[in-house]
Amino acid sequence: MIGITILGATGSIGVSTLDVVSRHRDRYRVVALTANTEVDRLYQQCMTCRPQYAAMADEASAQRLRQRLDQAGAAVEVLSGVDGLKQVATLDSADYVMAAIVGAAGLLPTLAAAHAGKRILLANKEALVMSGAIFMDGVRRGNARLFPIDSEHNAIFQCMPPDFSRGLAEVGVRRIFLTASGGPFRTRAIDTLDSVTPAQACAHPNWVMGRKISVDSATMMNKGLEVIEACWLFDTMPENVQVVLHPQSVVHSLVEYADGSVLAQLGSPDMRTPIAHALAWPERIASGVTPLNLFDVARLDFEEPDMARFPCLGLAYQAMDQGGTATAILNAANEVAVQAFLAGSIAFTSIPVVIEQTLGAVGARSVDSLDVVLEDDAAARSHALSLVRRDNGRIAL
Ligand code: NAD
Ligand code: MG
């Protein structure tokens, strides 16, 4: 039996992971589940899976979960805080760790899993965007194995030769094509984007996801974060990663080889496919995903992204060019801006403005320790928050 810790169990990826795992109870055993503050949801999941441990982000939520589980007579040890998250990410009984916390909060527990040599199923792309060099170094030193869950990166992984870590040029890979749906506003009149609502931004045409990544898809910051993620995972440069708009979300990404071959991975847009792939690799297991019907799909379209429509994508390239802590600053400013947009305090079109001004104000430094990354993350958050509060709605460029 393979023991699994699921960080971020109550979220969209966490729930999909539990769904795949529940189809293979003879293979996988859930040893720990974690959540931010969703006590009811984590309680239900604990009652179904009976893990050894549960962890909540804060002690007050942990206390409430502990009481409910005690009353129900369930023997689950409930931990709290970053230390609790790190503890369940490094348990001896956890062979695999699903890293599905959203945002910067996922970094420290995922890094702990890397140091402990776990098989990491990485959904939390923000960990790589913030501190790719430190994270990849942690994976190497800890002798951990990294399996991408992001559908595009999982597709790329599937299209790569098995020894790609020798170097892409070395194994004959020329380019990566990273597909993007373009989100709900791909064709909307640009001059109406300032009035879109959080509900419209979260109504993704093809995928059902958490709210933060849904807004990131609408601004295409998600694709910017994914270019950064791809560069770290596959040890390449942004110029070797071509973003391609593909509105059907059926081709999840492609890899071009020196001989002109282009390999693609296709499937229904359902995260249970990459999750099942990463859980079972090198085997294949059932995931519950509806098989792809090519006759229903009928056609596949590909377009170049319009950088004027999606300024966040350009900001991600700018941060990659700058290097050092610039991508951590980008990520932190984006998290604050997206949260403010979801709360109704800033316009959709103010998101790139907050990010651009924060990148300009908080100088990037070279990354020589995790502390430097965390300091610049905090400085960027505080600057972005001051912008959001100052203008309460419209921030002028
Ligand atoms: P979500 O918002 O649905 O769930 C997030 C999970 O993280 C929840 O369990 C929540 O309780 C937990 N969490 C949030 N803040 C926390 C904190 N401060 N401390 C501890 N736990 C916290 O998000 P999601 O859509 O499942 O995305 C999770 C990650 O996977 C993100 O990094 C996202 O970019 C990535 N991802 C998601 C999808 C998708 O289809 N949903 C696809 C690709 C990548
Ligand atoms: Mg993705």
Side-chain angles (χ1 to χ4, degrees):
M1 284 287 253
I2 293 167
I4 306 180
T5 284
I6 304 178
L7 304 172
T10 52
S12 163
I13 295 286
V15 168
S16 292
T17 306
L18 284 169
D19 180 90
V20 176
V21 166
S22 72
R23 295 165 194 271
H24 303 279
R25 289 192 200 283
D26 52 328
R27 244 181 122 107
Y28 305 110
R29 183 169 55 97
V30 174
V31 296
L33 295 171
T34 85
N36 190 14
T37 52
E38 304 91 331
V39 173
D40 289 343
R41 204 147 195 205
L42 198 61
Y43 169 76
Q44 292 302 339
Q45 293 180 336
C46 285
M47 293 307 289
T48 309
C49 302
R50 300 293 176 129
Q52 291 167 272
Y53 293 91
M56 309 270 334
D58 65 283
E59 180 49 31
S61 304
Q63 191 55 35
R64 284 198 289 140
L65 180 64
R66 222 172 266 133
Q67 273 168 3
R68 301 231 359 226
L69 288 166
D70 278 352
Q71 275 164 12
V76 181
E77 189 167 335
V78 182
L79 308 171
S80 68
V82 178
D83 287 342
L85 294 173
K86 283 191 194 166
Q87 195 177 326
V88 298
T90 55
L91 292 171
D92 283 343
S93 54
D95 304 291
Y96 296 5
V97 174
M98 165 55 81
I101 291 175
V102 62
L107 174 61
L108 295 177
T110 310
L111 197 55
H115 290 149
K118 303 299 183 191
R119 170 150 159 171
I120 301 173
L121 283 52
L122 186 72
N124 177 227
K125 64 191 90 186
E126 294 91 346
L128 275 180
V129 170
M130 284 177 76
S131 61
I134 289 168
F135 187 78
M136 295 308 286
D137 188 54
V139 167
R140 267 187 299 273
R141 281 171 195 262
N143 213 10
R145 283 216 63 168
L146 208 48
F147 287 84
I149 292 299
D150 218 338
S151 58
E152 297 79 1
H153 305 73
N154 183 272
I156 296 163
F157 182 93
Q158 294 198 43
C159 297
M160 283 283 174
D163 56 345
F164 71 83
S165 58
R166 289 203 290 126
L168 296 195
E170 205 57 25
V171 299
V173 169
R174 194 153 58 192
R175 249 190 319 175
I176 290 169
F177 292 104
L178 192 67
T179 56
S181 69
F185 307 139
R186 185 176 55 88
T187 55
R188 192 186 166 109
I190 294 187
D191 60 1
T192 65
L193 284 177
D194 60 345
S195 61
V196 300
T197 63
Q200 288 171 320
C202 289
H204 196 281
N206 308 327
W207 297 94
V208 182
M209 308 183 284
R211 282 162 72 77
K212 191 258 177 183
I213 185 174
S214 296
V215 176
D216 284 350
S217 298
T219 61
M220 276 194 82
M221 176 56 88
N222 184 48
K223 216 43 57 176
L225 302 180
E226 289 187 359
V227 173
I228 303 170
E229 183 185 11
C231 288
W232 287 114
L233 285 173
F234 302 106
D235 192 16
T236 191
M237 302 294 288
E239 53 268 31
N240 301 326
V241 183
Q242 173 66 55
V243 173
V244 182
L245 280 193
H246 166 51
Q248 289 91 356
S249 297
V250 164
V251 177
H252 298 308
S253 278
L254 315 88
V255 173
E256 182 189 68
Y257 284 82
D259 61 5
S261 293
V262 179
L263 302 191
Q265 187 259 356
L266 285 73
S268 300
D270 186 323
M271 292 306 292
R272 289 176 299 174
T273 294
I275 291 168
H277 170 266
L279 278 171
W281 185 93
E283 292 172 48
R284 297 276 181 173
I285 55 172
S287 63
V289 172
T290 309
L292 184 65
N293 184 326
L294 283 174
F295 301 117
D296 284 348
V297 175
R299 57 180 281 177
L300 301 171
D301 294 303
F302 301 99
E303 301 163 16
E304 243 181 272
D306 171 357
M307 301 302 273
R309 175 180 292 277
F310 299 111
C312 284
L313 187 54
L315 290 169
Y317 278 105
Q318 185 190 316
M320 275 184 278
D321 261 0
Q322 263 183 279
T325 55
T327 54
I329 295 167
L330 171 95
N331 177 66
N334 180 55
E335 283 189 27
V336 171
V338 169
Q339 211 169 21
F341 167 67
L342 284 171
S345 359
I346 65 168
F348 182 75
T349 42
S350 296
I351 295 173
V353 181
V354 170
I355 299 166
E356 183 170 25
Q357 293 193 359
T358 306
L359 272 172
V362 182
R365 295 183 282 171
S366 61
V367 175
D368 38 29
S369 71
L370 188 59
D371 285 344
V372 170
V373 173
L374 296 177
E375 275 168 29
D376 286 6
D377 170 272
R381 272 169 214 277
S382 115
H383 189 83
L385 262 177
S386 72
L387 290 174
V388 165
R389 291 206 181 109
R390 180 161 7 122
D391 279 279
N392 193 29
R394 297 288 182 278
I395 300 164
L397 263 172

